[in-house]
Amino acid sequence: MSPRTILQTDGLIHDAPSLVDLDGDGELEILVAAEALYALRPDGRWLPGFPFYARAAFASSPAAGDLNGDGRPELIIGCDDDHVYALDAQGRVLPGWPRRTGGDVYGRPTLADLDGDGHLEVIIGSDDGRVYAWRADGTSLSGWPRETGGFVSASPVVADLDRDGEPEVVVGSWGGFVYVWKRDGSFLPGWPQPTGYFVWSTPVVEDLDGDGHPEVVAVSDQVFLWRWNGTRFLGWPQPLRSFAVASALLTDLDEEGRKEIIVAADRLYGWRLDGTPLPGFPVDLRTFLWAKPEIVDLNGDGQRELLMGGWDGMLYVLQRDGALLGAFPIGAPIFAAPAIHQGKGSPEILIGAWDGRLYRLTLDDLQPMLMGSTARPWVPWPWARLQGPLILPADTPVFVVVDDACASRGILFYQREEDPIAHPIPLVIHDGWPVGLLPPFPAGSRGTLWATRKPEWDPIGKPVEFRANAHGSALWRRWRRRIRRRWPWIWR
């Protein structure tokens, strides 16, 4: 059985959809970010004013909140055009927006009242290495932005770590640190803390040991657990075989009254608070897991299952002991976490894939999977080895396998002829291979690829020249994007 497509975009879906009641009718609309921001009613009809287009694609879904005090939710979303947009429920840009940063904006914004004035501020990171905080009218909050040592691809987390009644901002950076700032932009004592490698994932802040203070969990090529003041827990950090992008899932998986730490990477890992592995973990699914799993009782039997998608295009369901319950073929690499819509009946699963489609699955759709069908079909997607010269398809991400590379702190670099600097891509392990994910290049792009290791920066093989050539499917997608942007009613 094939999953049902409820939306076909002309881009790549990186993030789980947001579920927000935009029009006040009591039903949740579905917000999907790709080359545009889409807003759908539950029956699949588009909301007026959408899709919303910027000057580039959107990598993550929007945050929703009442920014201007009108009693209705507004949408805030970052874009690859270096801007952050604030929209009303009709897709119109609010006064004072968009706000410009110095780099791509990859993570979701966070909305919180930082200055205690009763109004929400927008907190977000950028690939320029800064973390920004803006008021609802787009003006900067005093003390912000703050600098880090690298890209900020994660979403900031706002929480009261020191229990003084005032919020702090927690975020990781590709510079290899996790930062905690007070609301005025000054550091909380004990922070930042080093990780030794890129931090792409969003930290998780929660009181795990019941002492009244929240802990901070951050993921890189290790999993770190700190107390509120930056001191480490005994038994941590825990190593991973691969760099990880997903945030940790904190849940009482074994139902013993205390939450465990679950992390998706080349495997699905699980630990108790003292750092001991959970029985049955790690689980090797022979694919890279980009996004964190969700946990839900799919069949109403009182037992919760773990649900996650892989680069191999499969949607996996695991029992709480790590046993594989089944796998459902989606048909394209999955980078987004599933979103669970708990309707009047059984839960529905919404998941986006890199074929640009948003899929909806019900328990009936999943029955073949839960009966043990785990065959993995071949997923057609461009792959290449780091051997040159390379001819790459234009406007399409490409998985590059780096032979003889240790994925632990291995980095693939690319530099186009027009780029002033090289761009790093951390290697991950997919099906046993060190792999780097190249972004889509326009037709005619030329440049160089090479791989190295941190911290020695030892080269892996020789540099490889590449160029991007146009092909039929890319040309069709490009023209379809132009038509849809000019005459969106054609697809409604």
Side-chain angles (χ1 to χ4, degrees):
M1 181 180 294
S2 299
R4 287 170 289 171
T5 301
I6 62 172
L7 173 66
Q8 172 69 70
T9 74
D10 291 315
L12 306 170
I13 300 178
H14 294 261
D15 197 10
S18 300
L19 302 176
V20 182
D21 182 8
L22 275 184
D23 55 8
D25 65 352
E27 293 190 327
L28 297 177
E29 277 71 50
I30 303 166
L31 305 176
V32 180
E35 88 292 353
L37 175 60
Y38 296 84
L40 307 174
R41 292 190 172 94
D43 61 7
R45 291 179 298 135
W46 293 6
L47 258 65
F50 292 91
F52 171 79
Y53 289 88
R55 285 171 287 185
F58 300 98
S60 59
S61 295
D66 185 5
L67 271 189
N68 54 16
D70 64 355
R72 303 173 187 173
E74 283 76 47
L75 302 176
I76 302 87
I77 188 168
C79 184
D80 282 353
D81 66 3
D82 302 354
H83 288 77
V84 178
Y85 293 83
L87 313 173
D88 65 15
Q90 287 76 45
R92 298 172 298 202
V93 179
L94 298 181
W97 301 85
R99 298 297 302 168
R100 182 178 178 83
T101 75
D104 295 347
V105 183
Y106 189 90
R108 282 195 194 195
T110 298
L111 306 183
D113 181 9
L114 277 188
D115 59 4
D117 66 351
H119 298 284
L120 295 175
E121 281 78 47
V122 177
I123 308 100
I124 195 167
S126 168
D127 277 0
D128 64 4
R130 296 185 179 99
V131 178
Y132 294 82
W134 292 294
R135 296 183 180 90
D137 61 3
T139 58
S140 292
L141 205 62
S142 178
W144 301 84
R146 303 302 302 166
E147 296 277 355
T148 74
F151 301 154
V152 182
S153 301
S155 300
V157 176
V158 176
D160 183 6
L161 264 66
D162 57 3
R163 289 296 189 252
D164 66 349
E166 297 183 353
E168 284 80 43
V169 177
V170 186
V171 75
S173 165
W174 282 43
F177 285 88
V178 173
Y179 296 82
V180 179
W181 294 284
K182 298 180 181 178
R183 67 182 187 180
D184 63 1
S186 61
F187 282 121
L188 187 70
W191 300 89
Q193 285 294 323
T195 61
Y197 198 50
F198 306 141
V199 180
W200 190 324
S201 67
T202 297
V204 183
V205 179
E206 193 169 329
D207 183 5
L208 293 174
D209 61 358
D211 67 350
H213 285 274
E215 281 72 51
V216 177
V217 183
V219 181
S220 176
D221 62 343
Q222 304 175 77
V223 181
F224 294 84
L225 176 59
W226 293 286
R227 300 186 188 277
W228 68 273
N229 58 6
T231 58
R232 290 185 185 177
F233 267 69
L234 290 176
W236 301 87
Q238 287 292 329
L240 304 173
R241 289 181 65 244
S242 170
F243 177 72
V245 178
S247 299
L249 170 67
L250 307 183
T251 184
D252 184 8
L253 198 61
D254 58 11
E255 298 185 355
E256 294 182 353
R258 178 164 286 188
K259 290 188 176 182
E260 292 83 39
I261 298 173
I262 312 298
V263 173
D266 64 303
R267 302 175 178 184
L268 188 67
Y269 297 82
W271 298 274
R272 295 190 175 94
L273 192 59
D274 61 4
T276 57
L278 286 174
F281 289 82
V283 180
D284 189 359
L285 297 171
R286 293 178 46 226
T287 187
F288 186 71
L289 306 168
W290 183 275
K292 80 172 186 179
E294 291 295 328
I295 187 163
V296 61
D297 181 5
L298 284 176
N299 52 14
D301 64 353
Q303 301 293 321
R304 298 180 302 161
E305 290 82 36
L306 289 162
L307 188 69
M308 72 217 75
W311 275 10
D312 60 354
M314 300 293 286
L315 182 65
Y316 291 95
V317 176
L318 273 65
Q319 295 176 343
R320 63 184 187 180
D321 61 358
L324 179 63
L325 198 58
F328 190 95
I330 296 296
I334 300 171
F335 284 71
I340 309 300
H341 181 212
Q342 193 73 47
K344 297 179 181 178
S346 61
E348 292 183 334
I349 300 166
L350 301 174
I351 190 161
W354 266 28
D355 56 5
R357 294 173 178 165
L358 180 70
Y359 296 96
R360 174 186 279 151
L361 298 97
T362 65
L363 183 60
D364 290 339
D365 299 321
L366 297 178
Q367 280 303 326
M369 172 176 72
L370 301 179
M371 293 170 60
S373 175
T374 59
R376 296 202 307 176
W378 178 72
V379 175
W381 202 264
W383 288 81
R385 291 189 180 275
L386 191 60
Q387 300 169 358
L390 285 177
I391 307 298
L392 305 176
D395 301 318
T396 305
V398 178
F399 296 102
V400 177
V401 178
V402 181
D403 291 327
D404 302 322
C406 175
S408 176
R409 303 197 173 180
I411 305 171
L412 177 68
F413 285 91
Y414 73 88
Q415 186 169 10
R416 296 174 299 176
E417 292 177 343
E418 64 270 26
D419 292 336
I421 61 172
H423 302 270
I425 301 169
L427 297 181
V428 302
I429 293 181
H430 169 69
D431 200 12
W433 291 97
V435 176
L437 178 61
L438 282 181
F441 297 130
S445 297
R446 294 174 178 268
T448 306
L449 300 172
W450 68 95
T452 185
R453 296 186 184 91
K454 188 180 180 182
E456 297 84 3
W457 302 110
D458 296 331
I460 304 171
K462 296 179 180 180
V464 170
E465 303 298 317
F466 73 86
R467 77 171 185 269
N469 284 356
H471 57 98
S473 59
L475 291 172
W476 164 239
R477 285 198 306 270
R478 191 181 308 163
W479 277 105
R480 189 168 62 178
R481 281 196 295 266
R482 292 176 180 175
I483 295 170
R484 174 177 271 176
R485 184 164 187 170
R486 187 166 184 178
W487 300 291
W489 51 267
I490 292 177
W491 271 267
R492 295 194 178 188

